Amino acid sequence: MLLQFVYSAQDFVTDVLQRSENCPPPSKFDALIRDGWTDRMDRGLFRYHLGDLETRILPGPNGYIAQLNVQRGIERRKPQEILSIQQEFNPSQFNFNEINGDEIICETMKDTAGVKDLLNGQLPQPCKMVVLINVSPLEFGHCLFVPDPSLCLPQILTRTAVQVGIESVLLSSNPGFRVGFNSLGAFASVNHLHLHGYYLDHELKIESNLVKPLIPEKNFFRLQGFPVGFLFFTKSEEVDTVARTICDVTDFLVGENIAHNLFLTRGCPPSCQMQSAKERRLRKGVRIAIWPRIACFGAKEESAFNVALCELAGHLPFKNKKDFNSTTEKEVISIVQRYLLPDDEFQRLEEQLVEHLLTL
């Protein structure tokens, strides 16, 4: 029988710090994911055994987290051929309705009893989110969040998927739990709507990067520094509203055939000026980074790493020992830069998005 995890806003963990001396106990959500994932690893349901990954911090101001994961490069399922950012779901290709049922950890559902939809005053429809192991994991706890697989949704974000992604981060007491999304054309390997979730117990620069305000009243900012992108920030009481606005942005990008990656992580409140060490440790909310990027179709692969959600956030899973040992921050920046929009295109897109969001 499928294990169900029903949660409410009372289950959100709001008091989280980065680099806390007193590590908080796992939340109910963490215990469910970690125990379920470990059980499947012990039962041999993954394509390879994932032990402690060799990790190093690349010298330089960006603090890139490099990890060696040779088996993922060898054993991972061959990505599907993607030809369009708006490609329709194809039932004849691999999808998550075909998996071994033992790969499913649980089904999560938010308890919406007594909660009214702010937009139309009606009770929101509960969303069933199936959580299953990623059989080719890149880190501990690597799982996939699939909204009701039977709906056969293509890999295009929905408001519900965004909201559940944010809420999953809030359900964890661990500041290292991350969630991400690759659009079609941005190294999504399966055209069936899913988000990634995993634990990375290293701080990423994106958690505290300075920002430029774009529409502060909509929690919409521009990330300062490299790589250039957009940022939303939300606390637990604003998730529904912010998720709608994020989806307004991603819908716009899909409509313009612009590939994109998202990364969701605990982060400190956005600021355009240097914060104190104490302020930089705060993780009471969630930062959602969106990187519009050059679309990549076909079987293009870098020798060192692909540029997708975790690489843009500063987490670099390497496929071979040589690149892991020798790649420098300068070389990483050079590789990532090839996939980013040129400055003039990004600036034009920023102006269009600001105008678009202000009319909604």
Side-chain angles (χ1 to χ4, degrees), residues 132-204:
L132 52 109
I133 60 170
N134 187 323
V135 294
S136 301
L138 60 85
E139 244 292 9
F140 177 82
H142 189 180
C143 54
L144 302 175
F145 295 86
V146 184
D148 196 347
S150 66
L151 296 177
C152 298
L153 299 172
Q155 185 69 348
I156 295 174
L157 278 172
T158 64
R159 180 180 65 84
T160 299
V162 174
Q163 183 166 337
V164 174
I166 297 172
E167 290 175 345
S168 297
V169 176
L170 289 169
L171 286 168
S172 174
S173 62
N174 189 323
F177 184 70
R178 330 287 181 157
V179 171
F181 171 85
N182 297 321
S183 82
L184 301 177
F187 282 110
S189 59
V190 177
N191 187 17
H192 190 180
L193 182 56
H194 65 285
L195 294 88
H196 295 262
Y198 68 99
Y199 292 89
L200 177 71
D201 292 329
H202 296 272
E203 185 175 0
L204 296 169

Side-chain angles (χ1 to χ4, degrees), residues 10 26-27 69 93 115 118 122 128 136 155 246 265 271 339:
Q10 281 67 48
S27 66
N69 192 339
Q93 291 186 315
V115 179
L118 295 178
Q122 297 178 353
K128 295 180 180 180
S136 301
Q155 185 69 348
I246 291 170
T265 182
S271 175
Y339 295 88

Side-chain angles (χ1 to χ4, degrees), residues 212 222 230 341-353:
K212 170 189 172 183
R222 174 178 177 168
F230 300 114
L341 297 179
D343 290 344
D344 58 338
E345 287 187 32
F346 183 88
Q347 184 61 42
R348 188 159 53 248
L349 176 61
E350 178 182 298
E351 293 169 357
Q352 291 172 332
L353 279 171

Side-chain angles (χ1 to χ4, degrees), residues 9 11-17 170 172 236-237 266 283-285:
D11 293 303
F12 295 152
V13 185
T14 57
D15 192 16
V16 177
L17 293 174
L170 289 169
S172 174
S236 58
E237 62 271 17
R266 291 277 183 172
R283 297 294 183 270
K284 295 181 181 293

